[in-house]
Amino acid sequence: GYFDWVDAFIEKNPDYVELSDRKIIEWAVKSGMWKPKAAGHSNDKPDMKFGIPAMDDLSVSRLLKHIAPVTKRNFIVPELKANLSDSERKKALLRFAPPEFKKVACVVMGEPTAEYKARVHEVILSEKKRKAEGEKKKKGAEEERKRLIEAKQKKSEEARKANKRKRDGEAEEEAKEEEPEEKPAEEAKADEEVVVQLTEEEKALKCRKTPVPDITETILAKSYANFSLPTVAEGFDAVTFAWQSEAECATLMKDWIFAKKLTQRVEDLKIGDSFKEAWSTWQKQLAEWRKLASEWKDPNKRKALLAKRVEAKKKVAEEKGDEPPKEEKEIEIDLEELDVFAVEDINDIGNGMPLFADYVFEDWTLLSARYEMHLLLHSFKKDLNDPDRPS
């Protein structure tokens, strides 16, 4: 309902000039420029493609922003996304630096006034009536088309019968005096005014839903976390609140942003260095484990692994000053009874055998998926760095 409020403000204050992309498009169309239809845009940032370079590259918009401050007029700048961002508000204020301008921020948030609701209902009713009149006109045109077809068919049939009688030598019937046709009931209905009413659901609406959104979901998802209310400290001469108080608006803004964070996808999340490092380490570790499992299944390579294990134990004993361990007998381990959480080294469960020696393709896939999910959850929290969205 943001731009509905802007339209209402302009109606009440005709001495104000709106500076926005949608207004530029309106001026261009009124001047005779043809604009092709396009989807996926919003009232805040409509499609500016006219097939004219100065319009398509936004040169006109930039030029207008430079010229407007020197004209010394009253302006309203309804840039929805920009007006909700403190950095964008500061940039806009710099363009109107001359002291002749009184810079006022008007916050339109919360429960609308009764006057605004009445205007919304009036607009909805007007659109509903226009749509009903269009449907009625279309229906009347269709009925008129059918009536003309039937009249033409009737006339053709009468001519066919007259020709038949003439060929058969029958006497021509005396022409009967034609009675004046009564005005069809459809024509009488067409003169009646269309009467439409708001439903209870429509009466309960505070803002109307327009065919084109005020702001696209993609832009909203990328920017809503940085939305804030304007303050005098930013450079405004005054900050007014049209619908609710400053405290109520601040609470509404905070609660709305928090609710969005719980359901909205993070569109601008970037992969951090810690994730890249951990992912690279994991890939190398996984490759080593798979290689070790493959070597254990090969009898010749298994002997080499066991010999290497014995040498490693001797080396550790020498470093500690202990006697070298005697040759160990092969230890039998019941894998069914093995407590995997008690294994100190997954590369050696006690007899040189890796814990994952019998893994098949599906086991490796599940292991990778589990670790990747673990890494994603922790990296999301770290890279997003937002206490309101821990996971």
Side-chain angles (χ1 to χ4, degrees), residues 322-338:
D322 299 334
E323 293 184 4
K326 296 180 180 180
E327 186 176 346
E328 298 178 352
K329 295 182 179 180
E330 187 175 349
I331 302 174
E332 294 292 337
I333 296 178
D334 187 355
L335 297 179
E336 296 294 333
E337 299 296 330
L338 179 66

Side-chain angles (χ1 to χ4, degrees), residues 14-74:
D15 57 317
Y16 277 78
V17 177
E18 179 182 338
L19 292 180
S20 65
D21 289 341
R22 70 165 192 158
K23 204 64 179 179
I24 293 174
I25 291 177
E26 182 184 327
W27 292 334
V29 172
K30 284 183 177 179
S31 68
M33 294 175 61
W34 178 80
K35 183 182 182 303
K37 292 183 179 180
H41 298 274
S42 64
N43 290 321
D44 189 40
K45 289 298 175 185
D47 179 46
M48 299 288 286
K49 302 295 183 183
F50 278 84
I52 301 174
M55 292 292 291
D56 297 351
D57 63 8
L58 304 181
S59 295
V60 172
S61 180
R62 290 193 294 270
L63 180 62
L64 190 61
K65 290 178 181 179
H66 286 293
I67 294 176
V70 302
T71 59
K72 296 182 180 180
R73 295 184 181 181
N74 296 326

Side-chain angles (χ1 to χ4, degrees), residues 193-249:
E193 184 179 356
V194 176
V195 179
V196 293
Q197 294 181 342
L198 295 178
T199 62
E200 292 301 321
E201 184 179 352
E202 290 170 335
K203 290 178 181 178
L205 292 176
K206 299 176 183 178
C207 300
R208 69 188 182 99
K209 186 176 181 180
T210 57
V212 180
D214 285 349
I215 185 171
T216 62
E217 286 296 327
T218 303
I219 297 298
L220 183 64
K222 292 180 179 179
S223 55
Y224 77 92
N226 298 318
F227 285 174
S228 63
L229 296 179
T231 62
V232 175
E234 295 174 1
F236 290 102
D237 296 311
V239 177
T240 62
F241 293 83
W243 290 350
Q244 292 190 249
S245 66
E246 181 178 0
E248 291 173 323
C249 289

Side-chain angles (χ1 to χ4, degrees), residues 151-374:
K152 186 176 180 180
Q153 290 176 344
K154 184 177 180 181
K155 187 176 180 180
S156 178
E157 181 64 20
E158 289 176 353
R160 187 184 66 78
K161 289 180 180 179
N163 290 334
K164 186 175 182 300
R165 288 195 299 270
K166 188 175 181 180
R167 287 196 302 271
D168 296 342
E170 296 179 4
E172 290 288 339
E173 295 182 1
E174 294 182 0
K176 296 181 180 179
E177 184 178 353
E178 295 184 359
E179 298 180 358
E181 295 184 1
E182 295 183 0
K183 189 176 183 180
E186 291 77 6
E187 293 185 14
K189 290 181 180 179
D191 296 336
E192 297 178 1
E193 184 179 356
V194 176
V195 179
V196 293
Q197 294 181 342
L198 295 178
T199 62
E200 292 301 321
E201 184 179 352
E202 290 170 335
K203 290 178 181 178
L205 292 176
K206 299 176 183 178
C207 300
R208 69 188 182 99
K209 186 176 181 180
T210 57
V212 180
D214 285 349
I215 185 171
T216 62
E217 286 296 327
T218 303
I219 297 298
L220 183 64
K222 292 180 179 179
S223 55
Y224 77 92
N226 298 318
F227 285 174
S228 63
L229 296 179
T231 62
V232 175
E234 295 174 1
F236 290 102
D237 296 311
V239 177
T240 62
F241 293 83
W243 290 350
Q244 292 190 249
S245 66
E246 181 178 0
E248 291 173 323
C249 289
T251 302
L252 283 170
M253 173 71 82
K254 183 179 178 181
D255 293 344
W256 180 83
I257 292 176
F258 183 73
K260 272 287 182 185
K261 286 181 177 181
L262 295 178
T263 58
Q264 190 73 45
R265 186 175 70 179
V266 183
E267 295 286 352
D268 54 351
L269 181 64
K270 295 181 180 179
I271 299 176
D273 293 334
S274 60
F275 175 86
K276 295 177 182 177
E277 184 179 348
W279 176 252
S280 177
T281 303
W282 164 250
Q283 291 294 316
K284 292 177 182 178
Q285 183 66 74
L286 185 62
E288 291 176 3
W289 286 344
R290 299 194 70 160
K291 180 182 178 183
L292 181 58
S294 177
E295 290 177 349
W296 182 261
K297 293 176 182 178
D298 188 325
N300 295 327
K301 291 183 179 180
R302 180 186 297 185
K303 291 180 181 179
L305 288 173
L306 293 174
K308 187 177 179 181
R309 175 173 175 266
V310 172
E311 290 296 326
K313 285 189 174 183
K314 287 181 180 180
K315 187 176 180 180
V316 171
E318 290 175 0
E319 291 176 353
K320 292 182 178 180
D322 299 334
E323 293 184 4
K326 296 180 180 180
E327 186 176 346
E328 298 178 352
K329 295 182 179 180
E330 187 175 349
I331 302 174
E332 294 292 337
I333 296 178
D334 187 355
L335 297 179
E336 296 294 333
E337 299 296 330
L338 179 66
D339 182 4
V340 295
F341 296 105
V343 176
E344 296 181 358
D345 183 3
I346 62 173
N347 291 327
D348 184 357
I349 61 175
N351 60 355
M353 178 182 178
L355 182 62
F356 44 81
D358 294 329
Y359 272 20
V360 293
F361 173 79
E362 290 79 6
D363 297 311
W364 292 113
T365 302
L366 288 172
L367 174 64
S368 297
R370 184 169 183 174
Y371 179 79
E372 288 166 13
M373 182 60 67
H374 162 82

